Amino acid sequence: MNNILEAVKLTKSYNNQTILNDVDLQINQGEFLAIMGPSGSGKSTLLYNISGMDQPDSGQVKFRDENLTILNDQEMSQIRLKNMGFIFQHSYLLKNLSIRDNISLPGLKAGILSVEEVNEHTDNLLNMTGIRQVGGNDIKQVSGGQLQRAAICRALINQPTLLFGDEPTGALNQQATTEIMDIFNQINEDGTTVVIVTHDPNVAARASRIVYLVDGQIHAELNLGNYNSAEVQRVNREKQIYDWLENLGF
Ligand SMILES: Nc1ncnc2c1ncn2[C@@H]1O[C@H](COP(=O)(O)OP(=O)(O)OP(=O)(O)O)[C@@H](O)[C@H]1O
Ligand SMILES: [Mg+2]
């Protein structure tokens, strides 16, 4: 299979404390990867480093055949803007813009699509995620689930090949989580490679593979195969994950 992203011997320390310890990770084109692990194990740090939001101390991150670790900030932000979307646990939308304008902004900034195309794509994303009716609202005038959908739309405006999420459902209730994960699975089925950090085995059950981080190293890996929405299969996947975590001793 084709690697879209590859981390080779990534290391990162903060205050002389090793946070990422020689991490090797290959992510295949079209894959849906979930990163799990105890709090403080380095999950967010790993995600930031493989998405070019942060620079490792040593090692390489390759996007397709390009070595991201040698790029300067400006080159990196261009690659990110054009190829990658990022969703944070708390959506970080801009307060003085409407939901709609928040979504369009990175589209206009990237300059890949015309203004008309950005508008059309914004409409499509608002429809796909079911928040068309609140597009004109201020970000204070929507629910947590709607806000997170808006963050997904914003991350997708430039049709990224890679979508990253750091606990994208961490602030949501179960129903909103299910709805958001349905959107992630749809995006993944449409061809986008998805990488998320999550604590929630039910969320991880949507992924095709899970890696488990302990003390900045990949401690274990579980291959689940592609998610299929059939109920019986979902329960089996969740059970498989709970059993796996139990065997790992976490
Ligand atoms: N910018 C930073 N400066 C200093 N230390 C940091 C920084 N970012 C992370 N750390 C430290 O690195 C360790 C790993 O943090 P990280 O956020 O990657 O963990 P995590 O696995 O995502 O945890 P959680 O599940 O709680 O989100 C923590 O001990 C954290 O305090
Ligand atoms: Mg984290």
Side-chain angles (χ1 to χ4, degrees), residues 12-15 17-20 35-49 54 89 166-167 197-199 213 216:
K12 183 80 180 176
S13 298
Y14 288 119
N15 311 322
Q17 196 193 350
T18 303
I19 307 300
L20 297 181
I35 301 170
M36 298 187 83
S39 183
S41 57
K43 302 181 297 296
S44 297
T45 306
L46 178 60
L47 202 68
Y48 288 176
N49 279 273
D54 201 355
Q89 176 169 1
D166 191 359
E167 309 207 27
V197 168
T198 184
H199 279 111
L213 219 59

mmCIF file of all heavy atoms in Angstrom, residues 12-15 17-20 35-49 54 89 166-167 197-199 213 216, ligand 1:
data_model
loop_
_atom_site.group_PDB
_atom_site.id
_atom_site.type_symbol
_atom_site.label_atom_id
_atom_site.label_comp_id
_atom_site.label_asym_id
_atom_site.label_seq_id
_atom_site.Cartn_x
_atom_site.Cartn_y
_atom_site.Cartn_z
ATOM 1 N N LYS A 12 11.102 14.069 20.469
ATOM 2 C CA LYS A 12 10.735 15.415 20.929
ATOM 3 C C LYS A 12 10.860 15.444 22.450
ATOM 4 O O LYS A 12 10.391 14.535 23.132
ATOM 5 C CB LYS A 12 9.287 15.712 20.526
ATOM 6 C CG LYS A 12 8.822 17.099 20.875
ATOM 7 C CD LYS A 12 9.315 18.105 19.864
ATOM 8 C CE LYS A 12 8.859 19.511 20.197
ATOM 9 N NZ LYS A 12 9.431 20.491 19.238
ATOM 10 N N SER A 13 11.513 16.455 22.946
ATOM 11 C CA SER A 13 11.623 16.608 24.402
ATOM 12 C C SER A 13 11.108 17.968 24.806
ATOM 13 O O SER A 13 11.209 18.933 24.035
ATOM 14 C CB SER A 13 13.077 16.524 24.849
ATOM 15 O OG SER A 13 13.608 15.270 24.540
ATOM 16 N N TYR A 14 10.566 18.054 25.984
ATOM 17 C CA TYR A 14 10.236 19.329 26.609
ATOM 18 C C TYR A 14 10.924 19.364 27.959
ATOM 19 O O TYR A 14 10.776 18.412 28.738
ATOM 20 C CB TYR A 14 8.722 19.483 26.810
ATOM 21 C CG TYR A 14 7.950 19.719 25.541
ATOM 22 C CD1 TYR A 14 6.975 18.814 25.131
ATOM 23 C CD2 TYR A 14 8.172 20.850 24.762
ATOM 24 C CE1 TYR A 14 6.242 19.036 23.973
ATOM 25 C CE2 TYR A 14 7.447 21.079 23.601
ATOM 26 C CZ TYR A 14 6.481 20.167 23.216
ATOM 27 O OH TYR A 14 5.763 20.387 22.079
ATOM 28 N N ASN A 15 11.645 20.398 28.229
ATOM 29 C CA ASN A 15 12.325 20.548 29.527
ATOM 30 C C ASN A 15 13.112 19.291 29.905
ATOM 31 O O ASN A 15 12.965 18.765 31.007
ATOM 32 C CB ASN A 15 11.306 20.847 30.645
ATOM 33 C CG ASN A 15 10.370 21.965 30.246
ATOM 34 O OD1 ASN A 15 10.781 22.935 29.610
ATOM 35 N ND2 ASN A 15 9.098 21.813 30.585
ATOM 36 N N GLN A 17 12.646 16.412 29.212
ATOM 37 C CA GLN A 17 11.847 15.205 29.384
ATOM 38 C C GLN A 17 11.486 14.683 27.995
ATOM 39 O O GLN A 17 10.982 15.441 27.148
ATOM 40 C CB GLN A 17 10.574 15.556 30.163
ATOM 41 C CG GLN A 17 9.886 14.344 30.722
ATOM 42 C CD GLN A 17 8.481 14.669 31.206
ATOM 43 O OE1 GLN A 17 8.085 15.838 31.286
ATOM 44 N NE2 GLN A 17 7.714 13.641 31.502
ATOM 45 N N THR A 18 11.792 13.396 27.744
ATOM 46 C CA THR A 18 11.496 12.823 26.432
ATOM 47 C C THR A 18 10.002 12.590 26.296
ATOM 48 O O THR A 18 9.413 11.864 27.097
ATOM 49 C CB THR A 18 12.243 11.485 26.259
ATOM 50 O OG1 THR A 18 13.639 11.747 26.434
ATOM 51 C CG2 THR A 18 12.013 10.897 24.887
ATOM 52 N N ILE A 19 9.415 13.208 25.286
ATOM 53 C CA ILE A 19 7.963 13.055 25.079
ATOM 54 C C ILE A 19 7.696 12.100 23.916
ATOM 55 O O ILE A 19 6.818 11.247 23.998
ATOM 56 C CB ILE A 19 7.302 14.425 24.799
ATOM 57 C CG1 ILE A 19 7.664 15.440 25.891
ATOM 58 C CG2 ILE A 19 5.787 14.270 24.655
ATOM 59 C CD1 ILE A 19 7.242 15.054 27.289
ATOM 60 N N LEU A 20 8.465 12.240 22.836
ATOM 61 C CA LEU A 20 8.405 11.258 21.739
ATOM 62 C C LEU A 20 9.761 10.582 21.680
ATOM 63 O O LEU A 20 10.800 11.233 21.593
ATOM 64 C CB LEU A 20 8.092 11.933 20.397
ATOM 65 C CG LEU A 20 6.747 12.627 20.274
ATOM 66 C CD1 LEU A 20 6.584 13.222 18.876
ATOM 67 C CD2 LEU A 20 5.590 11.686 20.598
ATOM 68 N N ILE A 35 -5.191 7.196 17.333
ATOM 69 C CA ILE A 35 -4.074 7.142 18.273
ATOM 70 C C ILE A 35 -4.657 7.180 19.681
ATOM 71 O O ILE A 35 -5.393 8.114 20.029
ATOM 72 C CB ILE A 35 -3.115 8.339 18.068
ATOM 73 C CG1 ILE A 35 -2.565 8.343 16.633
ATOM 74 C CG2 ILE A 35 -1.970 8.299 19.084
ATOM 75 C CD1 ILE A 35 -1.793 9.613 16.258
ATOM 76 N N MET A 36 -4.369 6.144 20.455
ATOM 77 C CA MET A 36 -4.855 6.086 21.839
ATOM 78 C C MET A 36 -3.651 6.042 22.772
ATOM 79 O O MET A 36 -2.505 5.902 22.322
ATOM 80 C CB MET A 36 -5.733 4.844 22.064
ATOM 81 C CG MET A 36 -6.986 4.812 21.219
ATOM 82 S SD MET A 36 -8.097 3.429 21.674
ATOM 83 C CE MET A 36 -8.959 4.156 23.073
ATOM 84 N N GLY A 37 -3.921 6.085 24.072
ATOM 85 C CA GLY A 37 -2.836 5.997 25.048
ATOM 86 C C GLY A 37 -3.179 6.831 26.269
ATOM 87 O O GLY A 37 -4.039 7.708 26.207
ATOM 88 N N PRO A 38 -2.480 6.562 27.378
ATOM 89 C CA PRO A 38 -2.767 7.296 28.610
ATOM 90 C C PRO A 38 -2.520 8.798 28.451
ATOM 91 O O PRO A 38 -1.778 9.215 27.556
ATOM 92 C CB PRO A 38 -1.767 6.718 29.619
ATOM 93 C CG PRO A 38 -1.273 5.451 29.038
ATOM 94 C CD PRO A 38 -1.412 5.570 27.558
ATOM 95 N N SER A 39 -3.125 9.563 29.327
ATOM 96 C CA SER A 39 -2.911 11.005 29.345
ATOM 97 C C SER A 39 -1.431 11.291 29.575
ATOM 98 O O SER A 39 -0.804 10.681 30.436
ATOM 99 C CB SER A 39 -3.766 11.606 30.462
ATOM 100 O OG SER A 39 -3.620 12.997 30.437
ATOM 101 N N GLY A 40 -0.878 12.171 28.763
ATOM 102 C CA GLY A 40 0.537 12.518 28.909
ATOM 103 C C GLY A 40 1.479 11.604 28.149
ATOM 104 O O GLY A 40 2.694 11.783 28.192
ATOM 105 N N SER A 41 0.934 10.612 27.423
ATOM 106 C CA SER A 41 1.804 9.663 26.715
ATOM 107 C C SER A 41 2.401 10.255 25.439
ATOM 108 O O SER A 41 3.271 9.634 24.826
ATOM 109 C CB SER A 41 1.037 8.375 26.391
ATOM 110 O OG SER A 41 -0.121 8.664 25.635
ATOM 111 N N GLY A 42 1.922 11.435 25.022
ATOM 112 C CA GLY A 42 2.509 12.100 23.858
ATOM 113 C C GLY A 42 1.633 12.097 22.611
ATOM 114 O O GLY A 42 2.104 12.412 21.521
ATOM 115 N N LYS A 43 0.351 11.785 22.772
ATOM 116 C CA LYS A 43 -0.549 11.678 21.617
ATOM 117 C C LYS A 43 -0.676 12.995 20.852
ATOM 118 O O LYS A 43 -0.511 13.029 19.633
ATOM 119 C CB LYS A 43 -1.947 11.215 22.062
ATOM 120 C CG LYS A 43 -1.960 9.888 22.791
ATOM 121 C CD LYS A 43 -3.354 9.475 23.187
ATOM 122 C CE LYS A 43 -4.050 10.407 24.168
ATOM 123 N NZ LYS A 43 -3.395 10.491 25.495
ATOM 124 N N SER A 44 -0.969 14.068 21.596
ATOM 125 C CA SER A 44 -1.120 15.368 20.918
ATOM 126 C C SER A 44 0.203 15.795 20.302
ATOM 127 O O SER A 44 0.242 16.306 19.176
ATOM 128 C CB SER A 44 -1.590 16.439 21.900
ATOM 129 O OG SER A 44 -2.866 16.108 22.402
ATOM 130 N N THR A 45 1.281 15.567 21.037
ATOM 131 C CA THR A 45 2.606 15.930 20.533
ATOM 132 C C THR A 45 2.890 15.191 19.227
ATOM 133 O O THR A 45 3.380 15.790 18.254
ATOM 134 C CB THR A 45 3.687 15.587 21.589
ATOM 135 O OG1 THR A 45 3.330 16.213 22.818
ATOM 136 C CG2 THR A 45 5.055 16.058 21.159
ATOM 137 N N LEU A 46 2.563 13.905 19.189
ATOM 138 C CA LEU A 46 2.778 13.126 17.963
ATOM 139 C C LEU A 46 1.954 13.704 16.816
ATOM 140 O O LEU A 46 2.457 13.906 15.709
ATOM 141 C CB LEU A 46 2.418 11.650 18.207
ATOM 142 C CG LEU A 46 2.544 10.723 17.000
ATOM 143 C CD1 LEU A 46 3.976 10.688 16.469
ATOM 144 C CD2 LEU A 46 2.083 9.301 17.342
ATOM 145 N N LEU A 47 0.689 14.000 17.103
ATOM 146 C CA LEU A 47 -0.188 14.543 16.054
ATOM 147 C C LEU A 47 0.345 15.882 15.535
ATOM 148 O O LEU A 47 0.365 16.117 14.323
ATOM 149 C CB LEU A 47 -1.602 14.714 16.617
ATOM 150 C CG LEU A 47 -2.716 14.761 15.579
ATOM 151 C CD1 LEU A 47 -2.888 13.409 14.907
ATOM 152 C CD2 LEU A 47 -4.028 15.204 16.207
ATOM 153 N N TYR A 48 0.783 16.743 16.441
ATOM 154 C CA TYR A 48 1.315 18.050 16.023
ATOM 155 C C TYR A 48 2.572 17.892 15.181
ATOM 156 O O TYR A 48 2.789 18.640 14.236
ATOM 157 C CB TYR A 48 1.635 18.927 17.248
ATOM 158 C CG TYR A 48 0.425 19.453 17.968
ATOM 159 C CD1 TYR A 48 0.531 20.182 19.140
ATOM 160 C CD2 TYR A 48 -0.859 19.225 17.469
ATOM 161 C CE1 TYR A 48 -0.594 20.667 19.802
ATOM 162 C CE2 TYR A 48 -1.981 19.707 18.125
ATOM 163 C CZ TYR A 48 -1.838 20.421 19.295
ATOM 164 O OH TYR A 48 -2.945 20.891 19.942
ATOM 165 N N ASN A 49 3.389 16.900 15.539
ATOM 166 C CA ASN A 49 4.639 16.711 14.804
ATOM 167 C C ASN A 49 4.432 16.064 13.437
ATOM 168 O O ASN A 49 5.113 16.428 12.477
ATOM 169 C CB ASN A 49 5.638 15.912 15.650
ATOM 170 C CG ASN A 49 6.351 16.804 16.657
ATOM 171 O OD1 ASN A 49 7.367 17.401 16.331
ATOM 172 N ND2 ASN A 49 5.795 16.940 17.848
ATOM 173 N N ASP A 54 4.201 21.295 14.517
ATOM 174 C CA ASP A 54 5.356 21.445 15.395
ATOM 175 C C ASP A 54 6.528 20.702 14.750
ATOM 176 O O ASP A 54 6.323 19.862 13.870
ATOM 177 C CB ASP A 54 5.026 20.856 16.773
ATOM 178 C CG ASP A 54 5.940 21.408 17.863
ATOM 179 O OD1 ASP A 54 6.876 22.155 17.541
ATOM 180 O OD2 ASP A 54 5.715 21.050 19.038
ATOM 181 N N GLN A 89 -9.689 19.847 19.771
ATOM 182 C CA GLN A 89 -10.718 19.433 20.726
ATOM 183 C C GLN A 89 -11.713 20.571 20.958
ATOM 184 O O GLN A 89 -12.910 20.375 20.986
ATOM 185 C CB GLN A 89 -10.071 19.026 22.055
ATOM 186 C CG GLN A 89 -11.107 18.679 23.106
ATOM 187 C CD GLN A 89 -10.507 18.024 24.324
ATOM 188 O OE1 GLN A 89 -9.303 17.829 24.416
ATOM 189 N NE2 GLN A 89 -11.344 17.674 25.270
ATOM 190 N N ASP A 166 -7.563 16.172 17.011
ATOM 191 C CA ASP A 166 -7.097 15.900 18.373
ATOM 192 C C ASP A 166 -8.309 15.861 19.297
ATOM 193 O O ASP A 166 -8.842 16.893 19.669
ATOM 194 C CB ASP A 166 -6.110 16.980 18.829
ATOM 195 C CG ASP A 166 -5.397 16.580 20.124
ATOM 196 O OD1 ASP A 166 -5.681 15.489 20.659
ATOM 197 O OD2 ASP A 166 -4.559 17.376 20.596
ATOM 198 N N GLU A 167 -8.732 14.670 19.637
ATOM 199 C CA GLU A 167 -9.944 14.459 20.435
ATOM 200 C C GLU A 167 -11.095 15.309 19.906
ATOM 201 O O GLU A 167 -11.665 16.126 20.636
ATOM 202 C CB GLU A 167 -9.663 14.777 21.911
ATOM 203 C CG GLU A 167 -8.426 14.019 22.366
ATOM 204 C CD GLU A 167 -8.401 13.723 23.844
ATOM 205 O OE1 GLU A 167 -9.492 13.625 24.435
ATOM 206 O OE2 GLU A 167 -7.304 13.570 24.384
ATOM 207 N N VAL A 197 -6.768 11.487 17.441
ATOM 208 C CA VAL A 197 -6.417 11.075 18.799
ATOM 209 C C VAL A 197 -7.725 10.939 19.563
ATOM 210 O O VAL A 197 -8.594 11.804 19.457
ATOM 211 C CB VAL A 197 -5.541 12.153 19.473
ATOM 212 C CG1 VAL A 197 -5.416 11.890 20.975
ATOM 213 C CG2 VAL A 197 -4.163 12.203 18.834
ATOM 214 N N THR A 198 -7.878 9.842 20.290
ATOM 215 C CA THR A 198 -9.076 9.714 21.122
ATOM 216 C C THR A 198 -8.822 8.851 22.349
ATOM 217 O O THR A 198 -7.966 7.973 22.344
ATOM 218 C CB THR A 198 -10.261 9.126 20.318
ATOM 219 O OG1 THR A 198 -11.415 9.112 21.151
ATOM 220 C CG2 THR A 198 -9.989 7.712 19.825
ATOM 221 N N HIS A 199 -9.581 9.142 23.405
ATOM 222 C CA HIS A 199 -9.574 8.295 24.603
ATOM 223 C C HIS A 199 -10.698 7.273 24.543
ATOM 224 O O HIS A 199 -10.757 6.369 25.352
ATOM 225 C CB HIS A 199 -9.833 9.159 25.853
ATOM 226 C CG HIS A 199 -8.633 9.873 26.340
ATOM 227 N ND1 HIS A 199 -8.508 11.235 26.253
ATOM 228 C CD2 HIS A 199 -7.495 9.424 26.915
ATOM 229 C CE1 HIS A 199 -7.347 11.591 26.760
ATOM 230 N NE2 HIS A 199 -6.701 10.511 27.168
ATOM 231 N N LEU A 213 -0.076 4.480 22.330
ATOM 232 C CA LEU A 213 1.173 5.140 22.720
ATOM 233 C C LEU A 213 1.373 5.025 24.233
ATOM 234 O O LEU A 213 0.433 5.257 25.001
ATOM 235 C CB LEU A 213 1.041 6.618 22.350
ATOM 236 C CG LEU A 213 2.241 7.357 21.791
ATOM 237 C CD1 LEU A 213 2.713 6.696 20.517
ATOM 238 C CD2 LEU A 213 1.876 8.819 21.505
ATOM 239 N N GLY A 216 5.642 7.914 25.007
ATOM 240 C CA GLY A 216 6.242 8.403 23.771
ATOM 241 C C GLY A 216 6.707 7.329 22.812
ATOM 242 O O GLY A 216 7.527 7.586 21.930
HETATM 243 N N1 LIG B 1 4.569 22.902 24.714
HETATM 244 C C1 LIG B 1 4.913 22.119 25.741
HETATM 245 N N2 LIG B 1 5.818 22.529 26.663
HETATM 246 C C2 LIG B 1 6.190 21.738 27.683
HETATM 247 N N3 LIG B 1 5.714 20.504 27.882
HETATM 248 C C3 LIG B 1 4.799 20.049 27.027
HETATM 249 C C4 LIG B 1 4.358 20.828 25.908
HETATM 250 N N4 LIG B 1 3.445 20.088 25.211
HETATM 251 C C5 LIG B 1 3.342 18.927 25.869
HETATM 252 N N5 LIG B 1 4.147 18.887 26.939
HETATM 253 C C6 LIG B 1 4.288 17.745 27.878
HETATM 254 O O1 LIG B 1 4.458 16.574 27.106
HETATM 255 C C7 LIG B 1 3.760 15.480 27.684
HETATM 256 C C8 LIG B 1 2.868 14.857 26.628
HETATM 257 O O2 LIG B 1 1.870 15.790 26.284
HETATM 258 P P1 LIG B 1 0.764 15.492 25.209
HETATM 259 O O3 LIG B 1 -0.097 16.701 25.170
HETATM 260 O O4 LIG B 1 1.377 15.051 23.953
HETATM 261 O O5 LIG B 1 0.022 14.264 25.898
HETATM 262 P P2 LIG B 1 -1.333 13.541 25.492
HETATM 263 O O6 LIG B 1 -1.023 12.095 25.346
HETATM 264 O O7 LIG B 1 -1.956 14.233 24.338
HETATM 265 O O8 LIG B 1 -2.199 13.722 26.810
HETATM 266 P P3 LIG B 1 -3.780 13.998 26.983
HETATM 267 O O9 LIG B 1 -4.423 12.663 26.780
HETATM 268 O O10 LIG B 1 -3.885 14.452 28.409
HETATM 269 O O11 LIG B 1 -4.200 15.034 25.991
HETATM 270 C C9 LIG B 1 3.040 16.040 28.884
HETATM 271 O O12 LIG B 1 3.785 15.705 30.017
HETATM 272 C C10 LIG B 1 3.035 17.516 28.663
HETATM 273 O O13 LIG B 1 3.045 18.203 29.871
#
